[in-house]
Amino acid sequence: MNKAVVVFSGGQDSTTCLIQALSEFDEVHCITFDYNQRHAEEIEVAKKVANTLGVSSHKIMDVGLLNELAISSLTRDNIAVSHELQDNGLPNTFVPGRNILFLTLAGIYAYQLGANTLITGVCETDFSGYPDCRDNFVKAMNNALVLGMDKALEIKTPLMWLNKAETWALADKFNKLDFVRENTLTCYNGLIGPGCGDCPACDLRQRGLDDYLADTGAVMAALESKTA
C-alpha cells in the first residue's frame, strides 16, 4: 500500500500539500507538533482540517522540549513578532532546530507506519528567510534519515520552488482554494483565514492570493510548467 506522512500544521502550505497527497496516496497520515507555540490555536485547526479532509490518521506529538531550548517570538509571548530582521539576518520568528526535530521525528513515525514518503510544505522560493526551509537542508536531512534508519525514505517538498501565488493555484487545481482560504491558520497572531492582516505571514499569504486572483490563467500556467 502506498503510504505518506505529512508534517501538518494546519496552515496554508501544509494543507495544500495534504490536499495533493490525498489524491496521490492510498493512505495519508498527518503528524502535528505541539511545542507550546505562540499561536496554540494551530493545533485545534490542524485537528479540524485533517478530520474534514479525511486522513487515515492524525498524530499530535508533544515536543515542548523545543520551547525550552529555542528562543523566538513564536516560543515566547514577551517577544513581539517583528517585521525587521535581527542582527543575524534572520526574522525573530525563526525557531532554531524546528525542522531538524520535526523531520527527524516524522521520519521515525514514517518508519513505524511503513511509509516511504514524508511530505513537508517548506519553500525556498517565497519564504520567510528560514535556513531550515532550503532545498539543500531537506536533502541533507533526507540522506541522514536514510543512512540512520537503513530505510528507503523520500522527503517530498511540493512547494519548494513555487511562489505563494502558485501555491494558491495548486489549491485551486484541486478545487480547494476557498477551503484553504477560509479554514487554515497562517497568521502569527493565531487568527484563522485572512488572519490579522499585519504580521509577516499574513502579508506573504495575502500578496500571493492577490497575485493569483489578478491573473489566474498565467499563474496556473506557471504552476503547470513547474510541476509537469
Side-chain angles (χ1 to χ4, degrees):
M1 186 169 285
N2 200 11
K3 302 179 185 179
V5 171
V6 177
V7 178
F8 190 61
S9 70
Q12 175 195 357
D13 293 343
S14 64
T15 300
T16 303
C17 288
L18 174 57
I19 289 165
Q20 183 182 46
L22 286 166
S23 74
E24 297 177 347
F25 293 87
D26 301 315
E27 285 187 14
V28 179
H29 302 266
C30 290
I31 184 166
T32 298
F33 297 101
D34 183 352
Y35 58 100
N36 300 320
Q37 51 266 60
R38 183 188 195 96
H39 42 300
E41 292 86 354
E42 77 173 30
I43 305 299
E44 295 308 312
V45 170
K47 289 179 182 177
K48 184 175 180 180
V49 171
N51 182 62
T52 300
L53 292 176
V55 301
S56 298
S57 73
H58 185 200
K59 185 175 186 63
I60 311 295
M61 179 165 283
D62 181 358
V63 289
L65 59 91
L66 178 62
N67 192 288
E68 295 180 33
L69 298 171
I71 298 174
S72 160
S73 63
L74 297 190
T75 60
R76 299 292 184 273
D77 289 336
N78 62 346
I79 302 176
V81 173
S82 173
H83 287 266
E84 305 299 324
L85 298 180
Q86 303 174 100
D87 291 341
N88 61 6
L90 299 175
N92 77 346
T93 51
F94 174 59
V95 181
R98 181 171 58 178
N99 283 341
I100 297 172
L101 181 63
F102 286 5
L103 290 177
T104 299
L105 294 175
I108 297 169
Y109 189 50
Y111 186 102
Q112 181 186 73
L113 293 174
N116 292 327
T117 304
L118 178 58
I119 300 170
T120 178
V122 299
C123 170
E124 186 169 323
T125 303
D126 232 357
F127 75 136
S128 301
Y130 301 157
D132 60 357
C133 288
R134 296 178 299 191
D135 186 59
N136 58 0
F137 160 74
V138 175
K139 284 183 167 56
M141 281 298 303
N142 200 156
N143 187 51
L145 288 169
V146 169
L147 291 174
M149 298 191 296
D150 194 22
K151 172 182 170 55
L153 179 70
E154 180 184 8
I155 301 179
K156 286 192 171 183
T157 52
L159 311 184
M160 182 59 74
W161 307 116
L162 305 186
N163 60 37
K164 267 291 182 284
E166 291 159 352
T167 299
W168 282 111
L170 183 59
D172 202 14
K173 180 180 177 179
F174 292 100
N175 299 311
K176 292 291 186 181
L177 185 142
D178 287 340
F179 179 86
V180 173
R181 187 176 184 175
E182 296 165 7
N183 296 285
T184 61
L185 195 164
T186 302
C187 176
Y188 287 145
N189 290 309
L191 300 178
I192 298 172
C196 69
D198 179 61
C199 73
C202 285
D203 287 348
L204 185 61
R205 173 179 168 132
Q206 189 61 48
R207 283 201 308 272
L209 181 58
D210 291 344
D211 289 346
Y212 176 57
L213 295 178
D215 197 343
T216 57
V219 177
M220 189 65 78
L223 170 67
E224 295 294 345
S225 70
K226 288 183 178 181
T227 57

